[in-house]
């Protein structure tokens, strides 16, 4: 049976840190589904379709990757509906750990057959988060090495219009 992993997240915007986790996941699993979470409570810069388009563009040369979205349902139900057995998440800091530990335990009790697999960030991405990048760009700073130039162009256009 092929092992399918779901890599869920906000990806607002997708960063080099996200792409690194997805690429490394593709070496371990037969398929990775990147699942853009739609959370109406969050004020996103990019809409879910825009985030999906960006991810598709960044991952267009990768095989065995699918970009999808999910809304208003438990992550474990979504994972099951895709025939997946793994939730793939990245870990950066101790703050990530506390949040992820709680989520992983909750998901385990909801769906014991699904495993959450954590991948430690690579050192050059350890400080990267979507929110930090949004802040740097909003204040006119450079984002080279943090996000792909395509993403940078799109986010700068957005910020200009605000
Ligand atoms: P969420 O809102 O669900 O945390 P994010 O888009 O912020 O969504 O992150 C999605 C996943 O990617 C999370 O597992 C997060 O820990 C991981 N991630 C984000 N940035 C990095 C990074 N720089 N290095 C490794 N993992 C990361």
């Amino acid at each position: 049976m092929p092992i399918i992993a779901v890599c869920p997240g906000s990806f607002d915007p997708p960063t080099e840190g996200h792409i690194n986790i997805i690429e490394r996941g593709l070496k371990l699993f037969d398929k990775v589904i990147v699942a853009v979470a739609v959370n109406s409570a969050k004020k996103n810069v990019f809409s879910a379709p825009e985030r999906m388009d960006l991810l598709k563009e960044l991952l267009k040369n990768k095989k065995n990757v699918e970009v999808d979205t999910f809304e208003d349902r438990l992550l474990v139900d979504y994972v099951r509906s895709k025939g997946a057995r793994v939730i793939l998440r990245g870990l950066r800091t101790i703050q990530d750990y506390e949040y992820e530990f709680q989520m992983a335990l909750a998901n385990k009790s909801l769906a014991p057959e699904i495993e959450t697999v954590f991948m430690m960030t690579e050192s050059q991405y350890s400080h990267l988060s979507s929110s930090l990048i949004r802040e740097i760009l909003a204040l006119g700073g450079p984002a080279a090495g943090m996000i792909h130039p395509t993403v940078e162009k799109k986010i700068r256009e957005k910020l200009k219009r605000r």
Side-chain angles (χ1 to χ4, degrees):
M1 265 245 294
I3 303 182
I4 302 173
V6 169
C7 183
S10 308
F11 305 104
D12 188 38
T15 71
E16 296 293 357
H18 289 132
I19 299 301
N20 177 256
I21 295 293
I22 297 163
E23 285 179 348
R24 287 161 60 203
L26 283 167
K27 291 185 191 152
L28 290 182
F29 306 111
D30 297 299
K31 180 177 176 180
V32 174
I33 301 171
V34 184
V36 174
V38 180
N39 181 348
S40 43
K42 270 194 187 176
K43 251 189 107 216
N44 291 303
V45 173
F46 290 108
S47 67
E50 285 173 330
R51 285 177 273 154
M52 286 175 71
D53 285 347
L54 287 172
L55 284 161
K56 282 182 191 161
E57 173 66 24
L58 301 181
L59 296 165
K60 66 180 178 209
N61 296 325
K62 301 281 162 214
K63 266 197 241 151
N64 304 324
V65 63
E66 177 187 329
V67 178
D68 194 19
T69 182
F70 73 103
E71 182 174 12
D72 288 339
R73 67 194 297 198
L74 284 176
L75 175 62
V76 289
D77 287 341
Y78 170 76
V79 171
R80 279 185 183 131
S81 76
K82 300 299 278 186
R85 283 191 275 160
V86 173
I87 297 170
L88 173 64
R89 298 280 292 177
L91 274 184
R92 288 159 297 188
T93 57
I94 202 79
Q95 285 84 359
D96 274 357
Y97 175 83
E98 283 182 16
Y99 173 75
E100 297 291 342
F101 182 57
Q102 192 182 23
M103 290 306 292
L105 291 188
N107 286 330
K108 192 74 186 165
S109 74
L110 291 167
E113 79 282 13
I114 296 172
E115 291 295 342
T116 303
V117 171
F118 294 103
M119 216 170 254
M120 202 58 83
T121 184
E122 284 188 12
S123 56
Q124 67 267 42
Y125 307 119
S126 62
H127 61 296
L128 289 190
S129 69
S130 299
S131 55
L132 176 77
I133 289 167
R134 290 197 303 267
E135 216 166 301
I136 291 173
L137 290 177
L139 296 171
M146 299 184 183
I147 47 176
H148 191 275
T150 312
V151 181
E152 183 173 349
K153 188 165 164 269
K154 289 266 187 310
I155 194 165
R156 285 198 191 281
E157 282 166 13
K158 281 258 174 196
L159 293 170
K160 227 186 280 166
R161 269 186 257 132
R162 286 189 163 187

